Amino acid sequence: MSETLTTLNNPAETVRDIMADISHHDPIPGPKELDLSKPHLITVPEKRRVENLTLMHRSAAEFLKPARRSGTARFADLQSLIAWSNRFKGETSALFANPDMEAPTLTCIADYHAAGPVDVTTATGDESARHCHHRAVYDFPLSEEWKAWIRISGQPMEKDDLGEFIEAQAKDIMDPTPGVLKGSVSDKNQPWENRLIETAMKIEGRYGQLSQLLAMSKQFQVYETSNLKVTTNRDTGEQEVQFLNEHKTPDGKPLNIPNLIIIAIPVFMGGAPYRVPVRFRYRKRGGAVQFILSLYNPEKAFEAAFKEAVTEATEKTDLPTFMGTPEA
């Protein structure tokens, strides 16, 4: 009687063989026609988890060349943004103009969404949607003159502060022309002269010169007198009592000072100057006098300068322009 002997393997060898069988890895070739819009999945030994290689494939595919354009360029002048827009624009490109008086901007999105309604029924996604990742921005640089006058507009100043400011910004102040001083609208005047005259007529103003401002900032003195005025109604016998305060010069004459000046300043750095009326007022408190310079309707000058720049960009790029800011 013969016996069949079974040879048992060494336990260490058995574990080794099992681990070699389940832990090996084989090179996984990529698909012949790699579609980066679809995931590529494999299984790995650790609890046979599923690994998503899609991002790795995309990274490898973009190693030599990006799959799409992205990034935001920031330009120092308008012509650079126009040139960039013409270089990269397509059928869906668009401009966005943000008329913020403190931080105006003009943005071009080269890969903006295509026109038409949103399509939410297509399984592969809305064909008109774009990433909007390829952008250029021009931050309009406000001129130093504009920022200086806006900063002091409506703020009370002491006499010395007024003098220092006027001397520093003397180049911005223009003396009124004879037509403006005359104060009547005429066909012989320039259009801008008539606009200044109409402004003065609205607010009962009178234009002054730089020399008058400088003299007032150095020598201005105000004397206040109070007079009692009593008005009696003869029918009822009622009386109304008023104290009338009158400001006079040191020699006792009534004050007659100009309450408007004209400045010519650019809104944006390097831009054309705009003529802006500035209201001049003073306020007496006790023995001190404070002066107030207020730009009259500065929004109008800003809007004109901004519109001029946006119109130029729109015409030179032939792109649709939206007023406001694009989607984040």
Side-chain angles (χ1 to χ4, degrees), residues 196-213:
L196 290 174
I197 293 171
E198 290 171 353
T199 299
M201 294 171 64
K202 289 179 182 178
I203 59 178
E204 297 181 354
R206 185 169 64 89
Y207 290 102
Q209 299 175 317
L210 173 61
S211 58
Q212 291 175 293
L213 274 181

Side-chain angles (χ1 to χ4, degrees), residues 225-240:
T225 60
S226 295
N227 296 317
L228 183 65
K229 179 181 179 181
V230 179
T231 304
T232 303
N233 188 323
R234 293 183 179 179
D235 295 330
T236 63
E238 295 179 349
Q239 290 185 332
E240 181 181 354

